[in-house]
Amino acid sequence: MTNTARHIPVMLNEVLEALAPKDGELYVDATFGNGGYSEAILKSANCKLIAIDRDPSVIKRANELKELYGDRFEFRAGEFGQLETLVKENIDGIVFDIGVSSMQLDDDFRGFSFSKEADLDMRMSSKGISAKDIVNTLAEEELSNLIYNYGEEKKSRQIARRICEQRNIKPINTTTELAEIIYSINPKRFGQIDPATRTFQAIRIAVNDELNQLKCGLNSASKIVKENGRIVVVDFHSLEDRIVKNFFNENTSKKVHTSKYKDTNEEIDYTKIFSFCSKAIAPSDKECNQNPRSRSAKLRYAIKRKENINE
């Protein structure tokens, strides 16, 4: 694949350390993309791996890995929010790379990037409602709330109002048309994040139901992963990271203090799913310099409890 080198897996070394692949075990790459994590996992141990992705454009790359690794690799098309339907096996570990991939951003025809003229699409699966549908049909208040809640955009009301004004004149069909509307409210400033970033993020999240997908994916992963199995998540913005952090923290056992007269004054809550969850791990300065996409990344992982009484 000629463009493989451009699509660098974020925090690859940290992902492998957190997942800790072993010979003979079964892993899932829930967000296959260009296969960076999948191939690294398969190289790191004589294990098997199931890759999942809803984007039909990744099938060519999946076929390449199938040729290289044979029965050790299997690709299953679908959304990781439906993980329990796609993966019936019990697995030893799973990795999620949340959000839009560099492949999707680089594709001039997918409409994910405001820096490229393209049809206003943003569908990861190439099915269902598009960004164009949302921008041209959603009521102004709903559009404003969407941009604020999913993009954390302070000027969401003004942007939504201007979008509605413009679409009453003519439909908004392209990425650059939408970006110019945003710039009319929030002009570009040198050295600052592009003002279209948050609105595009919000619309993309809505189009692909990304936050609900993440919640469902984490819940399903916690069920199909074996005792002592690991769930590893790399995310890129606060909305995603808050979901991951809360899910891990709420389902990880904490030590409970008991009587000071006992030999040990701490007991473990065995009703929780996980025995351990990490704090947020950031990419190294070296990686941030070499791969700008990694700058906003955070990695968190959890280990499933061995003595889970609910199982």
Side-chain angles (χ1 to χ4, degrees):
M1 199 171 188
T2 57
N3 63 348
T4 299
R6 288 196 301 147
H7 303 294
I8 306 168
V10 171
M11 300 185 71
L12 179 58
N13 292 333
E14 292 86 349
V15 165
L16 291 176
E17 184 177 351
L19 192 65
K22 295 180 177 61
D23 292 353
E25 295 193 341
L26 177 63
Y27 298 92
V28 169
D29 181 353
T31 47
F32 175 71
N34 197 49
Y37 291 148
S38 290
E39 187 161 29
I41 292 166
L42 290 164
K43 284 181 176 178
S44 68
N46 185 22
C47 58
K48 292 185 177 181
L49 183 134
I50 299 166
I52 295 170
D53 207 299
R54 57 175 158 178
D55 189 338
S57 71
V58 308
I59 293 175
K60 180 182 177 183
R61 177 60 173 151
N63 289 338
E64 291 177 358
L65 290 192
K66 184 66 177 177
E67 289 182 12
L68 287 171
Y69 295 98
D71 292 341
R72 292 178 57 203
F73 175 80
E74 182 181 353
F75 177 78
R76 300 178 186 177
E79 301 172 343
F80 62 70
Q82 300 174 343
L83 192 60
E84 287 179 272
T85 302
L86 294 168
V87 181
K88 298 297 184 182
E89 301 92 335
N90 288 324
I91 62 173
D92 295 284
I94 183 169
V95 58
F96 296 85
D97 179 3
I98 306 303
V100 65
S101 74
S102 54
M103 289 174 63
Q104 291 163 335
L105 284 171
D106 291 345
D107 191 328
D108 293 347
F109 301 101
R110 302 294 295 275
F112 286 102
S113 174
F114 45 79
S115 62
K116 299 175 182 178
E117 176 77 30
D119 193 56
L120 198 54
D121 193 321
M122 301 193 194
R123 295 173 297 178
M124 292 179 179
S125 64
S126 299
K127 298 177 181 178
I129 64 167
S130 68
K132 188 188 300 185
D133 296 326
I134 287 178
V135 167
N136 286 293
T137 65
L138 210 61
E140 182 179 327
E141 184 177 357
E142 291 181 79
L143 188 58
S144 172
N145 291 339
L146 184 155
I147 295 169
Y148 181 79
N149 291 328
Y150 291 166
E152 299 177 304
E153 171 56 68
K154 294 178 180 179
K155 295 185 178 181
S156 61
R157 291 183 184 276
Q158 298 99 304
I159 291 170
R161 187 177 305 116
R162 185 63 56 84
I163 287 172
C164 292
E165 290 171 354
Q166 291 299 311
R167 76 189 189 191
N168 286 335
I169 300 171
K170 75 176 195 64
I172 301 163
N173 293 318
T174 69
T175 52
T176 51
E177 287 174 355
L178 177 58
E180 288 303 322
I181 292 169
I182 297 166
Y183 299 149
S184 70
I185 297 295
N186 200 357
K188 289 183 179 181
R189 289 180 172 82
F190 180 76
Q192 295 186 9
I193 186 174
D194 192 294
T197 301
R198 294 185 178 88
T199 299
F200 269 68
Q201 171 189 292
I203 295 169
R204 190 203 78 223
I205 287 173
V207 166
N208 297 287
D209 194 24
E210 292 178 36
L211 301 185
N212 187 55
Q213 285 281 321
L214 177 56
K215 292 174 185 177
C216 292
L218 290 171
N219 185 59
S220 294
S222 71
K223 295 177 182 177
I224 66 173
V225 83
K226 296 177 183 176
E227 294 178 346
N228 289 329
R230 296 175 177 227
I231 301 174
V232 182
V233 185
V234 177
D235 59 55
F236 293 88
H237 62 73
S238 59
L239 295 176
E240 299 164 343
D241 193 59
R242 194 175 303 128
I243 290 171
V244 179
K245 177 183 177 181
N246 290 342
F247 181 80
F248 283 168
N249 284 340
E250 289 167 5
N251 290 288
T252 299
S253 58
K254 305 295 189 294
K255 292 180 179 179
V256 180
H257 290 278
T258 57
S259 171
K260 66 180 180 179
Y261 300 106
K262 291 186 178 181
D263 292 337
T264 59
N265 68 343
E266 290 181 340
E267 291 182 355
I268 296 173
D269 182 359
Y270 290 108
T271 65
K272 300 294 187 180
I273 299 170
F274 305 115
S275 59
F276 169 83
C277 69
S278 73
K279 294 182 179 179
I281 300 169
S284 66
D285 292 339
K286 181 180 178 180
E287 178 172 3
C288 290
N289 290 331
Q290 292 177 343
N291 183 12
R293 180 176 178 252
S294 70
R295 290 173 184 167
S296 59
K298 290 181 181 178
L299 183 152
R300 296 180 188 269
Y301 72 98
I303 302 174
K304 190 167 184 180
R305 169 161 302 290
K306 186 175 181 180
E307 308 90 351
N308 187 358
I309 65 171
N310 291 327
E311 294 187 340

